[in-house]
Amino acid sequence: MKCPFCGYTESKVVDSRATEENVSIRRRRECLKCNKRYTTYEQIENIPVLVIKKNMSREYFDRTKMINGIIKACEKRPVSRNQIENIADEVEKNINNQMLTEVSSEYIGEMIMDNLKKIDEVSYVRFASVYRQFTDVNTFIDEIKRLISNK
Ligand SMILES: [Zn+2]
């Protein structure tokens, strides 16, 4: 960090405190060359993940929205809220591990389906039918056939 007065890069921290909202740390620094003081702010890097939709528009990744979609597919099925949260965790972990800043809605859908398939097949088919937007009844039947033959 360069001193704003003389450009020297070495400084010492004379005071350090969290900001009111606790989202950053404010540090008072003293330049080791000119001894003038200046302030720096340290912040946690929090890059929002964008979801690329089918029409190529982007929206913020929204965990609540994702969970609501899963809940809808699991309606009246023996799937607990906890299992649904776990699926959401898996998806988020996957995105974070790959350090993705943009992810397609299809990819998120596939991840949810992979996890849902292991828990409850009815919920899985329901979710798939919404997500893949089966254009006709035949594609939907194909999917169910594929599911049965995979057993
Ligand atoms: Zn200086």
Side-chain angles (χ1 to χ4, degrees), residues 2 13-14 16 19 25 32 42 45 56 61 66 74 91-92 106 112 115 137 146 148-149 151:
K2 274 186 185 174
V13 175
V14 289
S16 178
T19 56
I25 293 172
L32 293 182
E42 189 176 300
E45 193 172 39
M56 296 311 282
F61 173 76
M66 173 172 67
C74 299
V91 172
E92 284 191 323
E106 278 102 338
I112 294 171
N115 285 285
V137 180
R146 198 176 59 82
I148 294 165
S149 62
K151 274 189 175 170

Side-chain angles (χ1 to χ4, degrees), residues 20 26-27 44 54 71 74 84 91 103 108 112 132:
E20 268 172 43
R26 179 182 178 276
R27 293 190 204 283
I44 295 167
K54 281 199 179 78
I71 288 175
C74 299
I84 293 170
V91 172
V103 59
I108 293 175
I112 294 171
R132 293 208 176 125

